[in-house]
Amino acid sequence: MAQPKVNKIAIFAILCFLLMFASEMQITEAKHCGKHSKSWNGNCFHKKCNHWCMNKEDADYGNCSHGDCYCYYHC
């Protein structure tokens, strides 16, 4: 006996909703807050700023903004 199409469509819609909900949860959990680097001097270069923040200031990553080095941590 074949199942009605309505049941398959409902199951598919529920699975899509759950996938979207799960991906939204991961995005909100990965929020980072930026702080001006405490010890960076001079012009900011992305690769050096990133390396500096991760190794010297225990940040998740570093990035340049308006010529200054900012270190990003989990909020």
Side-chain angles (χ1 to χ4, degrees):
M1 182 184 274
Q3 291 181 333
K5 284 186 178 181
V6 176
N7 286 345
K8 290 180 182 179
I9 293 172
I11 291 171
F12 179 74
I14 291 170
L15 287 175
C16 288
F17 175 76
L18 290 173
L19 279 172
M20 289 186 335
F21 182 73
S23 65
E24 286 294 321
M25 291 277 296
Q26 291 174 353
I27 291 171
T28 56
E29 289 175 6
K31 187 176 180 183
H32 287 89
C33 295
K35 294 181 182 178
H36 192 269
S37 174
K38 298 173 187 171
S39 54
W40 180 270
N41 291 324
N43 293 332
C44 188
F45 300 98
H46 173 70
K47 286 184 179 180
K48 289 184 178 182
C49 173
N50 187 43
H51 185 273
W52 181 270
C53 287
M54 290 190 316
N55 292 308
K56 302 288 184 182
E57 300 192 20
D58 294 323
D60 293 322
Y61 66 94
N63 200 3
C64 298
S65 180
H66 305 289
D68 294 324
C69 180
Y70 284 85
C71 300
Y72 291 85
Y73 306 87
H74 285 288
C75 296

